[in-house]
Amino acid sequence: MKQRGVLPGFSITLGFTVLYLSLIVLIPLSATFLKAGTLGWSGFWSVITEPRVLASYKLTFGASLAGALINAVFGLLVAWVLVRYDFYGKKLIDALVDLPFALPTAVAGISLATLYSNKGWIGSLTQPLGLKIAYTPLGVVLALTFIGLPFVVRTVQPILEDFEAELEEAAASLGASRWQTFRLVIFPALLPALLTGFALAFARAVGEYGSVIFIAGNIPMVSEITPLLIITKLEQYDYAGATALAVSMLVVSFTLLLGINALQRWSQLRRT
């Protein structure tokens, strides 16, 4: 006698899945494209290619990419320390990694602006050196790095925990140095997870708003991000213009993430 499962059959679960995704993802995205389409192609192109908008694209995607790259390097280092070493306060540091998840983005932005402004604890030290952080594009990169760190650490950490120590021992017994063992044995196993964490950090940074506006200064053509322009157009009741900017960001973000996922897939196939 065939045992019945706890969950309903495939047809019912698939129907619920499609319905849920339609209500949460597909219908809102479709409405965004339809609203932007009311501008017509010439109007749409005019909105998304304004000089102020192009400058915001450059800052938004450039700072997001820079923040994700920084997190890929230092997130890997943090995950390595948390997995490979035992030290006093390890649990506290492990918990602090998740702080950007729990901390409201506005609170994070105000805290960063307070610390890195010209009169802040850190900004007052960097200002005499000619390094201004708050209210500059550098401040935007700092904020996006802050909110993206947990994605890389929490993606790489489980892979490091499950990594077999026998592989490192075998490499050492064959005369490999520590650098060769890391580069040829450990890093290839971590690369798919590292790329996943990088993609998640990048995607999170592209749409970030709350933690950026307080430290960016929001100077047009200098430190103004695209999400802020979208909010500005909404406040002006320019819904078509706001959705046009949203669609352009969505297309670029999806293209970049598709490329990252293809690279991740290629890395996994090369290992098999």
PDB file of all heavy atoms in Angstrom, residues 3-19:
ATOM      1  N   GLN A   3       2.235   4.698   0.847  1.00  0.00           N
ATOM      2  CA  GLN A   3       2.087   5.562   2.004  1.00  0.00           C
ATOM      3  C   GLN A   3       1.856   7.002   1.569  1.00  0.00           C
ATOM      4  O   GLN A   3       2.563   7.524   0.701  1.00  0.00           O
ATOM      5  CB  GLN A   3       3.348   5.483   2.880  1.00  0.00           C
ATOM      6  CG  GLN A   3       3.216   6.254   4.187  1.00  0.00           C
ATOM      7  CD  GLN A   3       4.447   6.071   5.048  1.00  0.00           C
ATOM      8  OE1 GLN A   3       5.401   5.394   4.648  1.00  0.00           O
ATOM      9  NE2 GLN A   3       4.440   6.663   6.225  1.00  0.00           N
ATOM     10  N   ARG A   4       0.864   7.627   2.143  1.00  0.00           N
ATOM     11  CA  ARG A   4       0.542   9.008   1.797  1.00  0.00           C
ATOM     12  C   ARG A   4       1.475   9.949   2.544  1.00  0.00           C
ATOM     13  O   ARG A   4       1.785   9.745   3.700  1.00  0.00           O
ATOM     14  CB  ARG A   4      -0.917   9.328   2.147  1.00  0.00           C
ATOM     15  CG  ARG A   4      -1.915   8.479   1.378  1.00  0.00           C
ATOM     16  CD  ARG A   4      -3.331   8.820   1.795  1.00  0.00           C
ATOM     17  NE  ARG A   4      -3.662  10.194   1.438  1.00  0.00           N
ATOM     18  CZ  ARG A   4      -4.134  10.572   0.262  1.00  0.00           C
ATOM     19  NH1 ARG A   4      -4.315   9.678  -0.697  1.00  0.00           N
ATOM     20  NH2 ARG A   4      -4.432  11.832   0.021  1.00  0.00           N
ATOM     21  N   GLY A   5       1.943  10.982   1.855  1.00  0.00           N
ATOM     22  CA  GLY A   5       2.836  11.953   2.473  1.00  0.00           C
ATOM     23  C   GLY A   5       2.070  12.948   3.329  1.00  0.00           C
ATOM     24  O   GLY A   5       0.847  13.061   3.267  1.00  0.00           O
ATOM     25  N   VAL A   6       2.833  13.670   4.131  1.00  0.00           N
ATOM     26  CA  VAL A   6       2.236  14.679   4.993  1.00  0.00           C
ATOM     27  C   VAL A   6       1.751  15.869   4.161  1.00  0.00           C
ATOM     28  O   VAL A   6       0.659  16.405   4.385  1.00  0.00           O
ATOM     29  CB  VAL A   6       3.259  15.141   6.052  1.00  0.00           C
ATOM     30  CG1 VAL A   6       2.649  16.249   6.914  1.00  0.00           C
ATOM     31  CG2 VAL A   6       3.699  13.972   6.910  1.00  0.00           C
ATOM     32  N   LEU A   7       2.541  16.258   3.182  1.00  0.00           N
ATOM     33  CA  LEU A   7       2.178  17.388   2.330  1.00  0.00           C
ATOM     34  C   LEU A   7       1.275  16.924   1.192  1.00  0.00           C
ATOM     35  O   LEU A   7       1.305  15.752   0.810  1.00  0.00           O
ATOM     36  CB  LEU A   7       3.440  18.032   1.758  1.00  0.00           C
ATOM     37  CG  LEU A   7       4.389  18.668   2.781  1.00  0.00           C
ATOM     38  CD1 LEU A   7       5.625  19.191   2.081  1.00  0.00           C
ATOM     39  CD2 LEU A   7       3.706  19.782   3.546  1.00  0.00           C
ATOM     40  N   PRO A   8       0.480  17.828   0.618  1.00  0.00           N
ATOM     41  CA  PRO A   8      -0.385  17.449  -0.519  1.00  0.00           C
ATOM     42  C   PRO A   8       0.437  17.100  -1.738  1.00  0.00           C
ATOM     43  O   PRO A   8       1.652  17.292  -1.776  1.00  0.00           O
ATOM     44  CB  PRO A   8      -1.241  18.703  -0.723  1.00  0.00           C
ATOM     45  CG  PRO A   8      -0.467  19.820  -0.114  1.00  0.00           C
ATOM     46  CD  PRO A   8       0.270  19.210   1.043  1.00  0.00           C
ATOM     47  N   GLY A   9      -0.225  16.617  -2.777  1.00  0.00           N
ATOM     48  CA  GLY A   9       0.457  16.145  -3.979  1.00  0.00           C
ATOM     49  C   GLY A   9       1.130  17.245  -4.769  1.00  0.00           C
ATOM     50  O   GLY A   9       1.005  18.442  -4.472  1.00  0.00           O
ATOM     51  N   PHE A  10       1.817  16.817  -5.826  1.00  0.00           N
ATOM     52  CA  PHE A  10       2.619  17.739  -6.624  1.00  0.00           C
ATOM     53  C   PHE A  10       1.753  18.816  -7.279  1.00  0.00           C
ATOM     54  O   PHE A  10       2.114  19.992  -7.294  1.00  0.00           O
ATOM     55  CB  PHE A  10       3.381  16.938  -7.696  1.00  0.00           C
ATOM     56  CG  PHE A  10       4.077  17.806  -8.701  1.00  0.00           C
ATOM     57  CD1 PHE A  10       5.245  18.469  -8.378  1.00  0.00           C
ATOM     58  CD2 PHE A  10       3.550  17.971  -9.980  1.00  0.00           C
ATOM     59  CE1 PHE A  10       5.890  19.273  -9.302  1.00  0.00           C
ATOM     60  CE2 PHE A  10       4.184  18.769 -10.908  1.00  0.00           C
ATOM     61  CZ  PHE A  10       5.357  19.421 -10.566  1.00  0.00           C
ATOM     62  N   SER A  11       0.618  18.433  -7.819  1.00  0.00           N
ATOM     63  CA  SER A  11      -0.221  19.402  -8.541  1.00  0.00           C
ATOM     64  C   SER A  11      -0.687  20.524  -7.627  1.00  0.00           C
ATOM     65  O   SER A  11      -0.656  21.703  -7.999  1.00  0.00           O
ATOM     66  CB  SER A  11      -1.422  18.689  -9.156  1.00  0.00           C
ATOM     67  OG  SER A  11      -0.997  17.698 -10.075  1.00  0.00           O
ATOM     68  N   ILE A  12      -1.105  20.152  -6.411  1.00  0.00           N
ATOM     69  CA  ILE A  12      -1.612  21.172  -5.475  1.00  0.00           C
ATOM     70  C   ILE A  12      -0.481  22.084  -5.010  1.00  0.00           C
ATOM     71  O   ILE A  12      -0.617  23.314  -4.983  1.00  0.00           O
ATOM     72  CB  ILE A  12      -2.302  20.502  -4.277  1.00  0.00           C
ATOM     73  CG1 ILE A  12      -3.508  19.688  -4.757  1.00  0.00           C
ATOM     74  CG2 ILE A  12      -2.723  21.544  -3.246  1.00  0.00           C
ATOM     75  CD1 ILE A  12      -4.239  18.967  -3.653  1.00  0.00           C
ATOM     76  N   THR A  13       0.663  21.485  -4.633  1.00  0.00           N
ATOM     77  CA  THR A  13       1.776  22.299  -4.150  1.00  0.00           C
ATOM     78  C   THR A  13       2.320  23.196  -5.254  1.00  0.00           C
ATOM     79  O   THR A  13       2.703  24.344  -5.004  1.00  0.00           O
ATOM     80  CB  THR A  13       2.904  21.397  -3.623  1.00  0.00           C
ATOM     81  OG1 THR A  13       3.255  20.435  -4.630  1.00  0.00           O
ATOM     82  CG2 THR A  13       2.480  20.667  -2.361  1.00  0.00           C
ATOM     83  N   LEU A  14       2.359  22.690  -6.492  1.00  0.00           N
ATOM     84  CA  LEU A  14       2.811  23.516  -7.608  1.00  0.00           C
ATOM     85  C   LEU A  14       1.854  24.677  -7.833  1.00  0.00           C
ATOM     86  O   LEU A  14       2.273  25.810  -8.088  1.00  0.00           O
ATOM     87  CB  LEU A  14       2.926  22.674  -8.877  1.00  0.00           C
ATOM     88  CG  LEU A  14       3.355  23.425 -10.143  1.00  0.00           C
ATOM     89  CD1 LEU A  14       4.740  24.028  -9.964  1.00  0.00           C
ATOM     90  CD2 LEU A  14       3.328  22.499 -11.356  1.00  0.00           C
ATOM     91  N   GLY A  15       0.550  24.400  -7.732  1.00  0.00           N
ATOM     92  CA  GLY A  15      -0.427  25.467  -7.894  1.00  0.00           C
ATOM     93  C   GLY A  15      -0.275  26.550  -6.847  1.00  0.00           C
ATOM     94  O   GLY A  15      -0.297  27.748  -7.167  1.00  0.00           O
ATOM     95  N   PHE A  16      -0.091  26.140  -5.571  1.00  0.00           N
ATOM     96  CA  PHE A  16       0.116  27.116  -4.503  1.00  0.00           C
ATOM     97  C   PHE A  16       1.413  27.894  -4.727  1.00  0.00           C
ATOM     98  O   PHE A  16       1.479  29.105  -4.462  1.00  0.00           O
ATOM     99  CB  PHE A  16       0.157  26.429  -3.136  1.00  0.00           C
ATOM    100  CG  PHE A  16      -1.208  26.174  -2.564  1.00  0.00           C
ATOM    101  CD1 PHE A  16      -1.664  24.887  -2.354  1.00  0.00           C
ATOM    102  CD2 PHE A  16      -2.043  27.227  -2.228  1.00  0.00           C
ATOM    103  CE1 PHE A  16      -2.921  24.644  -1.830  1.00  0.00           C
ATOM    104  CE2 PHE A  16      -3.306  27.011  -1.699  1.00  0.00           C
ATOM    105  CZ  PHE A  16      -3.751  25.700  -1.502  1.00  0.00           C
ATOM    106  N   THR A  17       2.450  27.217  -5.200  1.00  0.00           N
ATOM    107  CA  THR A  17       3.736  27.884  -5.437  1.00  0.00           C
ATOM    108  C   THR A  17       3.612  28.949  -6.513  1.00  0.00           C
ATOM    109  O   THR A  17       4.081  30.087  -6.350  1.00  0.00           O
ATOM    110  CB  THR A  17       4.800  26.849  -5.863  1.00  0.00           C
ATOM    111  OG1 THR A  17       4.948  25.867  -4.831  1.00  0.00           O
ATOM    112  CG2 THR A  17       6.135  27.521  -6.122  1.00  0.00           C
ATOM    113  N   VAL A  18       2.976  28.592  -7.628  1.00  0.00           N
ATOM    114  CA  VAL A  18       2.798  29.553  -8.719  1.00  0.00           C
ATOM    115  C   VAL A  18       1.924  30.722  -8.272  1.00  0.00           C
ATOM    116  O   VAL A  18       2.208  31.895  -8.586  1.00  0.00           O
ATOM    117  CB  VAL A  18       2.190  28.858  -9.945  1.00  0.00           C
ATOM    118  CG1 VAL A  18       1.846  29.875 -11.031  1.00  0.00           C
ATOM    119  CG2 VAL A  18       3.144  27.803 -10.498  1.00  0.00           C
ATOM    120  N   LEU A  19       0.865  30.440  -7.513  1.00  0.00           N
ATOM    121  CA  LEU A  19      -0.013  31.497  -7.025  1.00  0.00           C
ATOM    122  C   LEU A  19       0.734  32.441  -6.094  1.00  0.00           C
ATOM    123  O   LEU A  19       0.630  33.670  -6.211  1.00  0.00           O
ATOM    124  CB  LEU A  19      -1.212  30.887  -6.306  1.00  0.00           C
ATOM    125  CG  LEU A  19      -2.189  31.879  -5.650  1.00  0.00           C
ATOM    126  CD1 LEU A  19      -2.816  32.794  -6.717  1.00  0.00           C
ATOM    127  CD2 LEU A  19      -3.260  31.136  -4.872  1.00  0.00           C
TER     128      LEU A  19
END
